[in-house]
Amino acid sequence: MKTISKLAIALALTTGATGVVLTPPAFAQKKKDEKPGPKMSPEALKAAQTAQTALAAKDAATAEPAIVQLETVAKSDDEKYFAAAMRYNLEQIKIQAARTANPNAPVDETVLAKPIEALMASPNTPVAEKGKLAYQRGLLAYNGKQFPVAVQFFEQAKQLGYSDPNLVVQTAQAKVGGGDVAGGLTDLQAAVQQMNASGQKAPEDIYRYGIARSNQAKLPTTMTWLQSYVSAYPTPKNWRDVVVTYGLSSNSMAKLDDAQKIDLFRLLRQNKALADQNDYLEYADDVQRRGLPAEALAVIKEGQAAGKIPASNTLAKTMVTEATRQVAAEGSLAPLKTKANAAATGKLAAGTADAYLGQDNYTEAAALYRVALQKGGVDADEVNTHLGIALAKSGDKAGAKAAFDAVKGTPRAGIAGLWNAYLAAPTA
């Protein structure tokens, strides 16, 4: 057996899908003061030297038969190690050449699986490098939709000490892809919490993935994903996406009546997330039919001022005329407030509080909502939702949260949860 200099295989991240490139081994004559290195048979050494030169020149055509020869004659751990490393490098060179030749064509990366596994099994591969290799093998399996295999290698990478920040997320997504949606999303939520706690804000894509997969599987965690998303990324677009997902479309999570939808429209308005004239007009029509003309008038005027409702819109003009007439006819709410305080039940107090809320008189509204709850005879979940809205709009976040937390029944608990997410979101 002839001896060669000790082989060092370096692993480095690249932009390729697998992310690993093995630096070709350098074969040199052993110096006098050099420690004995791995031993190779003359046949293996010759094949390895030919392959080494070809790999350095990215000459795949010459490297291929030499590596095949090395794989054929390899018997010792050293020879098998070199053969696997060179096979890996050769396949990487071929993959990169294929991408360069046709960037839009799919490339089969499964050819990397066998040499990766051989390197992982080799006693010559350092443990730290085995962790990286296990991670890359997991990526190959994930990209090939072999999700249970991906989970196996991702978990092995973690056990070997590999600490890529994406590892936990990728493991969770592999579990979801393999059918363990609840388990995968539980792990993903834990990863999000860990990232946020460390000061590294979880990316939006993770939240959207969690919402989509949880909603698709009809899991109760969908609500948690929706709330945490808009708390972390409270943009108008995100608010509208979340609110529509929950209850403003034909295929929403919750089936809401018009009164319940109003409270979601109020949430959109609070976050400047009413998207177009349809949003404004539907919202205004709903509150006008509920006997809240002041709110209807304010919503239409906001839509016109924002350029969302064209000045030529006939329906808007008609609604403004009618709402203006109703506001004038409604007059002062003071007499109703007096009657509500004296009434046996809270029904009149709740209705009068709704009118005050529509007029943006949050102090009077909150006081009468509390009267309504004290007297009873009302839908407590609805009244607590409206009390929370009045307090949120007035700036009393603690009081608003307490009111929203008191809402227990579905679907209002979801509406209250989204309002709580608004309270928890950073101030713009």
Side-chain angles (χ1 to χ4, degrees), residues 330-357 359 361-372 374-375:
E330 186 176 64
S332 172
L333 296 175
L336 284 176
K337 174 185 172 183
T338 301
K339 290 181 180 180
N341 282 318
T345 70
K347 187 173 182 180
L348 182 58
T352 307
D354 285 343
Y356 274 122
L357 181 63
Q359 292 179 357
N361 190 335
Y362 309 126
T363 301
E364 294 289 359
L368 282 174
Y369 284 133
R370 290 191 171 108
V371 170
Q374 182 181 8
K375 289 178 178 291

Side-chain angles (χ1 to χ4, degrees), residues 71 84 87 110-120 137 140:
E71 292 168 336
R87 170 59 64 182
T110 59
V111 292
L112 296 171
K114 187 175 179 179
I116 286 177
E117 291 179 15
L119 286 167
M120 289 177 61
R137 182 64 183 89
L140 280 177

Side-chain angles (χ1 to χ4, degrees), residues 129-146:
E129 308 304 345
K130 287 185 178 183
K132 295 177 183 179
L133 287 165
Y135 175 65
Q136 300 307 323
R137 182 64 183 89
L139 287 180
L140 280 177
Y142 186 90
N143 292 339
K145 301 189 184 302
Q146 298 175 323

Side-chain angles (χ1 to χ4, degrees), residues 165-413:
N166 295 317
L167 181 57
V168 176
V169 172
Q170 289 163 334
T171 304
Q173 290 179 329
K175 286 184 179 180
V176 172
D180 184 9
V181 180
L185 291 182
T186 297
D187 290 350
L188 195 59
Q189 281 182 322
V192 168
Q193 292 168 359
Q194 185 178 16
M195 280 187 275
N196 290 338
S198 68
Q200 176 195 357
K201 192 174 181 180
E204 278 194 74
D205 286 348
I206 293 181
Y207 289 102
R208 286 188 169 272
Y209 175 85
I211 291 169
R213 298 311 297 262
S214 183
N215 192 27
Q216 185 180 35
K218 307 298 181 186
L219 296 177
T221 52
T222 306
M223 196 67 231
T224 303
W225 280 107
L226 291 171
Q227 289 174 254
S228 59
Y229 180 35
V230 285
S231 292
Y233 294 95
T235 66
K237 180 185 182 303
N238 291 346
W239 267 112
R240 191 173 191 282
D241 287 347
V242 163
V243 167
V244 169
T245 297
Y246 180 70
L248 287 185
S249 71
S250 58
N251 60 345
S252 293
M253 292 169 53
K255 303 304 178 186
L256 307 183
D257 59 31
D258 288 345
Q260 293 160 348
K261 287 181 181 179
I262 287 172
D263 293 331
L264 288 183
F265 277 122
R266 286 169 171 159
L267 182 57
L268 291 179
R269 182 187 179 195
Q270 190 71 11
N271 287 284
K272 303 187 186 309
L274 293 166
D276 52 32
Q277 63 178 335
N278 294 327
D279 279 358
Y280 283 96
L281 293 176
E282 183 178 352
Y283 176 11
D285 181 60
D286 284 349
V287 291
Q288 190 165 16
R289 286 188 289 106
R290 294 277 295 178
L292 303 172
E295 188 169 358
L297 189 59
V299 168
I300 293 174
K301 288 185 175 180
E302 280 182 20
Q304 291 172 330
K308 298 294 180 68
I309 302 177
S312 60
N313 189 291
T314 303
L315 178 58
K317 290 179 181 179
T318 301
M319 292 176 72
V320 166
T321 299
E322 180 59 20
T324 302
R325 183 193 67 76
Q326 290 176 347
V327 167
E330 186 176 64
S332 172
L333 296 175
L336 284 176
K337 174 185 172 183
T338 301
K339 290 181 180 180
N341 282 318
T345 70
K347 187 173 182 180
L348 182 58
T352 307
D354 285 343
Y356 274 122
L357 181 63
Q359 292 179 357
D360 295 339
N361 190 335
Y362 309 126
T363 301
E364 294 289 359
L368 282 174
Y369 284 133
R370 290 191 171 108
V371 170
L373 290 169
Q374 182 181 8
K375 289 178 178 291
V378 296
D379 182 338
D381 281 343
E382 180 176 340
V383 174
N384 271 311
T385 303
H386 292 176
L387 172 60
I389 293 172
L391 293 173
K393 284 176 169 285
S394 71
D396 181 0
K397 287 190 174 184
K401 185 178 186 307
F404 291 135
D405 287 346
V407 180
K408 303 301 182 183
T410 55
R412 281 207 165 272

